[in-house]
Amino acid sequence: MSIETTVTRAWQRQAAWLWLLLPVSWLYGLITTLRRQAYKAGLLASYRAPVPVMVIGNISVGGSGKTPLIIALVDYLQERGIKVGVISRGYGGDTSQMPALVDATSLPNVVGDEPCLIVNMTNAPMAVCPDRKQAIMTLLAAHPELQFIIADDGLQHYALQRDIEWIVVDSARGFGNQQLLPTGFLREPMSRLQGATVIYHEPLKTDLVGNNKDNNSSLYRAHRLTMHLEANALQLLWQPTLSYSQIDMPKKGCRVHAASGIGYPQRFFDTLNSLGFDVVGHAYPDHYDFELAELLQYTEYPIVVTSKDAVKIRALLSKATTDKALNNEYQELINRLWVLPVTAELSDSCYDNLQQQLKKLGIDIANNNSTNNNTKANNR
């Protein structure tokens, strides 16, 4: 078991030994506070992009649903004619090849798994680099028409000035023991939420929402800044070696292996459980680099992975197919690999809030959408 996995599990159960690390957390807090104040005072240089920038991140370590949220916002803006691009650090990629543009042919070991997923889902212009200034300059050089840029997980990157900040909070995990790293899993103190737009990622509770969209629970959700993840139908991860008629999709009550290398694997396991599957969970560290060989150990039952993990596994299968390295054992594995896509569903207030924030920056979604619709009508 890796150190990362050990510490993550200790945070989840709030292990008593973590309090021994409190002096380290105090030092960490002092350094992060001084650093942020230095940027605010202008003692450290920061970059102002020529177009408005929105940063989406969190104050905690681990997954919060940030990537599905970004995909939902990009889709929303694209549908309304806003020319939006995305930048990211490109975690897990090859920094020696950055800054780099991301497209449908990009590999996760070069640009990172989350950038590959975002581009595959939205086809949005995107660039990656640990230096966000270089990422933006690279992106705008290739796409000068962009009106707006979303920065994926750059909340603590104060070298980048931002016009809008959205912080995603996982309501299921909360803030743990409310301590900074390494005693707790907070990157910044809870006071950091002040002045930012906070989106609460809440579990979807069908007993609260019900089938009546006009009930009090629905109205309550609509007027709060919340999101939840909606599971879509299972999809085969790769072109099967058998005909589709010979492959049975895992059904409710079926036992499945759930392999997950995301920030908070338990959410993935819980989602599969809520869909009625008998889940055998296999948690890996975030951004884990899977090998096809290790998936072979999960026998007898279908294997279900997240969309983020699927990006890396597809790259492995593509290379193995090209190299003609798939023996019968791997061919059988392919027929058992499934992906569970999820979609971020945002409350109406999230979109209303975004419209107001963009309008203050000179981006009027309502007028832009009207103009876009008129242009489409004239082109018919």
Side-chain angles (χ1 to χ4, degrees):
M1 184 183 299
S2 68
I3 295 177
E4 179 182 350
T5 302
T6 300
V7 174
T8 299
R9 291 181 177 178
W11 286 333
Q12 290 173 353
R13 65 177 190 271
Q14 297 187 28
W17 64 263
L18 288 170
W19 292 100
L20 298 174
L21 305 176
L22 195 57
V24 183
S25 295
W26 291 337
L27 178 60
Y28 171 84
L30 176 62
I31 293 172
T32 54
T33 299
L34 291 175
R35 178 174 170 271
R36 187 183 179 203
Q37 292 302 321
Y39 276 111
K40 290 181 69 173
L43 298 177
L44 294 176
S46 59
Y47 169 68
R48 164 67 68 177
V51 298
V53 171
M54 174 185 193
V55 169
I56 298 180
N58 49 43
I59 64 169
S60 60
V61 173
S64 60
K66 172 180 53 63
T67 301
L69 170 62
I70 290 173
I71 291 170
L73 290 181
V74 170
D75 284 342
Y76 175 81
L77 293 171
Q78 287 176 333
E79 289 171 0
R80 284 151 184 79
I82 302 299
K83 297 178 177 62
V84 56
V86 184
I87 64 164
S88 171
R89 173 186 173 187
Y91 187 87
D94 184 355
T95 56
S96 68
Q97 299 186 51
M98 299 180 188
L101 294 170
V102 185
D103 59 31
T105 65
S106 297
L107 296 174
N109 64 333
V110 176
V111 300
D113 49 17
E114 289 173 352
C116 285
L117 177 59
I118 291 170
V119 169
N120 288 342
M121 295 297 294
T122 67
N123 201 32
M126 185 167 186
V128 294
C129 188
D131 184 332
R132 307 311 198 275
K133 176 182 176 179
Q134 290 187 37
I136 289 178
M137 292 175 67
T138 300
L139 184 62
L140 290 177
H143 300 277
E145 74 282 1
L146 292 179
Q147 302 169 267
F148 186 59
I149 292 175
I150 296 177
D152 173 21
D153 199 20
L155 191 65
Q156 287 78 34
H157 190 81
Y158 293 112
L160 173 64
Q161 297 183 35
R162 65 287 309 262
D163 302 280
I164 302 173
E165 281 187 337
W166 277 24
I167 299 177
V168 187
V169 172
D170 186 343
S171 297
R173 293 177 69 207
F175 301 102
N177 57 19
Q178 301 186 13
Q179 299 298 314
L180 295 174
L181 295 168
T183 306
F185 54 74
L186 297 185
R187 299 175 178 174
E188 294 186 276
M190 291 176 60
S191 58
R192 180 65 177 83
L193 301 176
Q194 298 171 9
T197 299
V198 182
I199 309 297
Y200 289 94
H201 178 183
E202 299 181 341
L204 176 61
K205 298 180 180 178
T206 53
D207 57 325
L208 288 179
V209 179
N211 295 320
N212 183 0
K213 298 298 182 182
D214 296 324
N215 63 22
N216 290 335
S217 296
S218 295
L219 291 173
Y220 173 69
R221 285 176 176 269
H223 286 85
R224 297 178 66 236
L225 299 179
T226 63
M227 63 168 279
H228 68 267
L229 296 181
E230 191 82 46
N232 301 321
L234 287 174
Q235 300 174 1
L236 279 166
L237 188 148
W238 192 253
Q239 182 70 27
T241 57
L242 299 174
S243 67
Y244 284 97
S245 61
Q246 294 177 281
I247 297 177
D248 293 325
M249 177 184 291
K251 295 180 176 61
K252 186 176 181 178
C254 174
R255 174 166 290 185
V256 298
H257 291 289
S260 174
I262 61 175
Y264 186 45
Q266 189 59 47
R267 183 191 297 112
F268 177 57
F269 304 153
D270 290 344
T271 299
L272 286 170
N273 276 315
S274 71
L275 295 174
F277 294 108
D278 181 9
V279 178
V280 181
H282 308 283
Y284 290 84
D286 195 13
H287 302 281
Y288 183 73
D289 290 324
F290 284 93
E291 295 291 341
L292 291 179
E294 66 189 314
L295 293 175
L296 291 174
Q297 67 183 302
Y298 304 132
T299 59
E300 298 185 40
Y301 313 116
I303 303 170
V304 185
V305 301
T306 68
S307 294
K308 188 170 86 168
D309 294 320
V311 166
K312 290 173 287 191
I313 296 173
R314 284 194 188 101
L316 293 174
L317 287 170
S318 178
K319 185 178 186 304
T321 300
T322 302
D323 297 343
K324 298 182 179 180
L326 293 177
N327 59 28
N328 290 338
E329 196 173 18
Y330 286 113
Q331 298 285 359
E332 191 276 333
L333 173 67
I334 287 173
N335 297 325
R336 294 190 297 110
L337 282 174
W338 296 83
V339 186
L340 181 68
V342 295
T343 302
E345 299 288 343
L346 281 62
S347 65
D348 293 342
S349 289
C350 289
Y351 293 117
D352 292 341
N353 189 75
L354 178 63
Q355 285 198 29
Q356 294 169 14
Q357 290 174 323
L358 291 179
K359 192 170 185 178
K360 291 178 181 178
L361 298 171
I363 302 175
D364 194 332
I365 290 181
N367 289 340
N368 198 85
N369 194 36
S370 176
T371 301
N372 192 49
N373 289 338
N374 289 336
T375 301
K376 289 180 180 178
N378 293 333
N379 290 336
R380 288 173 183 164

